[in-house]
Amino acid sequence: MALDFTAIDFETANGFRGSPCSVGLSKVRGGVVVEEASWLMRPPENHDHFEFHNTRIHGIRAEDVAGRPRFGELFPEIGAFIGDDVLAAHNAAFDLGVIRSGLEVSGLAGPAYDYVCTVMLSRRCYSLVSNSLPYAAEEAGVPLVNHHDAAEDARACAGILVDIARRNNANSIAELYLSLGLNLPKQPAFDPAHGLSKATMSALAARTGSSAERTLGRAMGVPSGFAAWPEEGPNPLPNPAAEPGHPLFGQTVVFTGDLAITRPEAKSRAADMGARPESRVTARTTVLIVGDGFVAGDLRAGRLTGKAKRVLELHAKGQQIEVVSEGEFLQMVGGA
């Protein structure tokens, strides 16, 4: 088997993607993990505050990275470990976004990467009520004891990709994508001197203090409390120019529970990524996004809204429908 790639996972200090504080990498050769690396780091200057919600998830605090190199200083080592490999990540839009935004606010150019998103592949190759990392790892037979430890999450991502390749009788990434009728996605090289990504521009604008950008900053995770739910609001049409490789593209999404942003804003962000927001769970629904601090384990514990219970019923009847947490959704759309 010539299944060669590097799996990567980042943890961030706050709601901005360009605030990495930890990274884990697993290098795979011939379908076997042969080398691993992980680093703690200080996020880029001016983006290095640690928010409670992030620390609660991964347990990393500002004092844990004090005196460590900043992301921009450390990236040459990270890049050297990756080399020319295809990058694999579970929700690659987030992890590739961390690299891009982290380098952009550090004033550094970044290389191009071919990449694989194991969330997208698990949707195609598994039939799970949630394609979050713990569920996909369990389906792949990969132990995942300490979720949100970057090294362990990268290792689990690697195991998922190896399992999916095996199930499709693919001996390489190229064979896997050919067998699925997909094109391998690519993040192009970039130079902040020639323009910034939308996520980076939004984060920089949020620091200007204008009323509109403070609203955007709150949407990206600046603490402001949790507002009561407004009405559903309109259901915007999908953005026809959205990136087809995005995990929300072409999905029909419904929201339930309290999110850190208003439901109309959540619908707008989903539509920007090519999704079709709706207000009720129906036979058309493919993704339910759950707030109220929902995590994948709640599916088993039964701590669910009425809409989420309806999704479980439809999934049991064979409907291809997935439950996604608020945190996973905000990662997908560039939020906190």
Side-chain angles (χ1 to χ4, degrees), residues 10 20 41-42 44 69-75 78 98-99 102-103:
F10 282 102
M41 68 198 76
R42 282 186 297 161
R70 291 197 184 273
F71 172 69
E73 300 169 315
L74 192 59
F75 188 76
I78 298 171
V98 170
I99 292 175
L103 290 177

Side-chain angles (χ1 to χ4, degrees), residues 254-275:
V254 175
F255 294 88
T256 185
D258 291 333
L259 273 69
I261 57 178
T262 66
R263 197 168 294 189
E265 171 67 12
K267 288 184 174 184
S268 176
R269 287 181 174 227
D272 282 346
M273 301 302 168

Side-chain angles (χ1 to χ4, degrees), residues 66-154:
R68 302 269 185 172
R70 291 197 184 273
F71 172 69
E73 300 169 315
L74 192 59
F75 188 76
E77 290 186 62
I78 298 171
F81 186 94
I82 298 168
D84 295 327
D85 277 6
V86 173
L87 271 180
H90 204 72
N91 188 8
F94 172 74
D95 294 281
L96 271 292
V98 170
I99 292 175
R100 176 152 191 169
S101 288
L103 290 177
E104 285 178 335
V105 296
S106 301
L108 299 172
Y113 287 113
D114 292 325
Y115 67 90
V116 170
C117 178
T118 50
V119 169
M120 298 289 288
L121 292 180
S122 68
R123 280 180 177 170
R124 278 183 167 262
C125 302
Y126 298 153
S127 182
L128 304 174
V129 70
S130 170
N131 288 291
S132 65
L133 190 62
Y135 272 72
E138 181 180 21
E139 178 69 16
V142 180
L144 180 60
V145 177
N146 190 17
H147 185 26
H148 292 298
D149 173 88
E152 188 162 344
D153 284 1

Side-chain angles (χ1 to χ4, degrees), residues 127-190:
S127 182
L128 304 174
V129 70
S130 170
N131 288 291
S132 65
L133 190 62
Y135 272 72
E138 181 180 21
E139 178 69 16
V142 180
L144 180 60
V145 177
N146 190 17
H147 185 26
H148 292 298
D149 173 88
E152 188 162 344
D153 284 1
R155 188 182 310 124
C157 173
I160 292 166
L161 182 50
V162 169
D163 179 67
I164 288 174
R166 179 187 58 79
R167 294 188 188 204
N168 286 274
N169 298 312
N171 292 316
S172 68
I173 298 294
E175 281 190 21
L176 174 61
Y177 270 69
L178 183 63
S179 70
L180 295 173
L182 299 173
N183 294 319
L184 188 66
K186 187 182 190 75
Q187 175 167 282
F190 57 89

